[in-house]
Amino acid sequence: VMVGLGEETHELVEVFRDLRAVSVDILTIGQYLRPTDSHLEMVRYYTPDEFRELKAIALDLGFGHVESGPLVRSSY
């Protein structure tokens, strides 16, 4: 899940629940970083505390493993 494009926390939690409902067990949460001026603008930068909070929420929902931070990417 990429954050920073204007989503609200309750929307993220809804996505987390939807993912768990189809048995997704590993979740990555990372910050959207605008690669060039022709890409979407970043709406806001999440703080380290917000990433920790999102991780805790996801773990409470039953994910087996969660990586959550500004430079986390699922493509690595």
Side-chain angles (χ1 to χ4, degrees):
V1 175
M2 189 169 287
V3 299
L5 291 165
E7 67 287 326
E8 299 289 334
T9 301
H10 70 89
E11 294 171 313
L12 292 170
V13 173
E14 184 177 332
V15 169
F16 296 171
R17 286 189 178 120
D18 289 346
L19 290 169
R20 284 300 301 139
V22 293
S23 301
V24 172
D25 193 47
I26 298 172
L27 180 67
T28 59
I29 306 167
Q31 176 70 51
Y32 172 72
L33 299 172
R34 187 179 188 190
T36 69
D37 287 343
S38 64
H39 287 79
L40 292 173
E41 288 189 33
M42 178 173 48
V43 174
R44 76 179 187 90
Y45 194 82
Y46 280 63
T47 67
D49 285 341
E50 289 173 306
F51 278 107
R52 281 189 287 276
E53 180 182 335
L54 291 172
K55 180 176 183 171
I57 291 168
L59 290 171
D60 286 345
L61 289 172
F63 285 92
H65 185 82
V66 179
E67 290 296 329
S68 180
L71 299 179
V72 170
R73 297 292 181 265
S74 62
S75 57
Y76 292 156

